[in-house]
Amino acid sequence: MRSSARDSRQQPTRAARFWFICAFVLMMIPSVRFNVGPFTLLPEHLAIPILLLVWMGNRPRANVRPRSAPWTVAWLAATILWWLFTLVASAFVAPSAMESLRLLIWICANVLACALVFALRAMVESVIRPLVAAVTIAMLVSLFGWVAAQISGTANDFVESDYATALFRLEGLFDEPNLYAAFLTLTACAIYVWRAAMSAGLLWVFLLVGSVSVYLTFTRVAWVLWAAVTAAFAIRQFGRSKGVLVAIPLMAALVILALGATPSTRTAGSDPLLSATIGRLSALFDLDRGTGLTRSLTIDSALQDLTMHGAWLTGFGFNGYSQMHDAGVTSYAAAYLPTLWVAIFYDGGILAGVFFILAVAIFWFATARVGSSLFVISFALLAAATNNIWFAFPWVLGAIIAGRASIPQRTAASLDTAISVPRPFLSAATSTAASAGKAVIGYSPPGATVSAVAPDEVASSGT
């Protein structure tokens, strides 16, 4: 019965895979804006109809449709309740209801994109490598933009000027460097979950280019998290030997101590890159100046608003802080809450905040077995530095991880055994197999067996 279902499964077409990748790429350029009447659209909003069309053309047949798991329903219920409580606050409490509701529609679109990608989870296995290749190419283009800006001394679409140094901070095609760093770090965490479907060469090229890119964003929390993700990849690749487990944290500690002990007497003009690095590391936990001071004062201001107005139960509506304050807490700070974990309470009240945290906890519990802890921890820390749920990428990457968790453990084990062997990057054998259409996930060494995932096998512990 199961074998006949496996034989009747529908493989995604080349066109479906192409459009899925296009939809993902659109989520990488949110700095572009389209004005349609009173609404402002991002490229990621255009990805939704593309994903919808791909889903309509690749729906599983009735006799092999995957089953839903209780955690999927629980996560969706918690997310909807968070959104509804924030909706009520936005409609009846926010100083500018229309502005709050407009932005809340963006969040609704992000949840829809998440649902569509999860519905297309059977396709992720066959597109994960081209997705990683696309992200790597985009990173390289952005790096060329950074080099051009440094040489010319003129900012372009890929960078922003750093107020504290003579350098430009890399931001890709995002609105700010922190968001770009968050996108790259969370993408690396999602790839870690799908590492068994990756070629070793492409994986390490991605990590190398990504390391340079994350470094040039000068987002300190992303530096720490990217190092942790890279260490996790290294341990998986080279085994949990004592040498690796000791060498990685030791090398990281030596670098931090060396830079931290170096006197910061260099000027930005003489050695701007080293000066900026030392300055960022030395102020990593400094709340008395720079962005640390700004975030601390902004959080204090938000908590005072909630207490003084008795708004802990109702909040002030989505993005309410920007409506309650005309200016930031310092001369160089914008009037918005840069910390998600305060914003969810400020926008929708206590119940909204609790349901959002519950949704994150449900996701973590349901996907921990495939290695999602790196993603959840990274998301939590990055969201403490910037409010990234306005954009689709955390939602979509979470859906990609949930798709991996929907594979039954017995199938996932055979998949890992078959594919986790290191393979040469773009080897002749890979090229031959790909051109002949003999591999869906990637090349396997002679004698290895790749176990495809039938839609009807999705999840005894999954979706």
Side-chain angles (χ1 to χ4, degrees), residues 235-321:
I235 291 172
R236 286 290 182 178
Q237 184 74 20
F238 302 113
R240 293 184 177 87
S241 64
K242 291 183 179 178
V244 174
L245 292 174
V246 172
I248 290 175
L250 180 61
M251 289 177 62
L254 288 175
V255 170
I256 293 173
L257 288 174
L259 291 174
T262 303
S264 55
T265 57
R266 302 174 186 264
T267 64
S270 63
D271 196 347
L273 201 60
L274 180 60
S275 177
T277 304
I278 294 173
R280 295 277 174 175
L281 286 175
S282 63
L284 185 61
F285 302 105
D286 190 354
L287 300 179
D288 296 326
R289 58 191 172 96
T291 55
L293 175 62
T294 299
R295 290 195 177 97
S296 176
L297 292 177
T298 304
I299 291 172
D300 288 343
S301 172
L303 296 178
Q304 289 176 16
D305 288 345
L306 290 169
T307 301
M308 291 176 57
H309 293 83
W312 278 102
L313 186 61
T314 62
F316 293 100
F318 195 70
N319 197 31
Y321 190 86

Side-chain angles (χ1 to χ4, degrees), residues 338-346 353 356-357 360 376 379-387:
T339 303
L340 169 64
W341 304 112
V342 176
I344 53 176
F345 294 96
Y346 193 96
F356 184 88
I357 293 174
V360 174
V376 175
F379 168 75
L381 294 176
L382 290 164
T386 186
N387 193 338

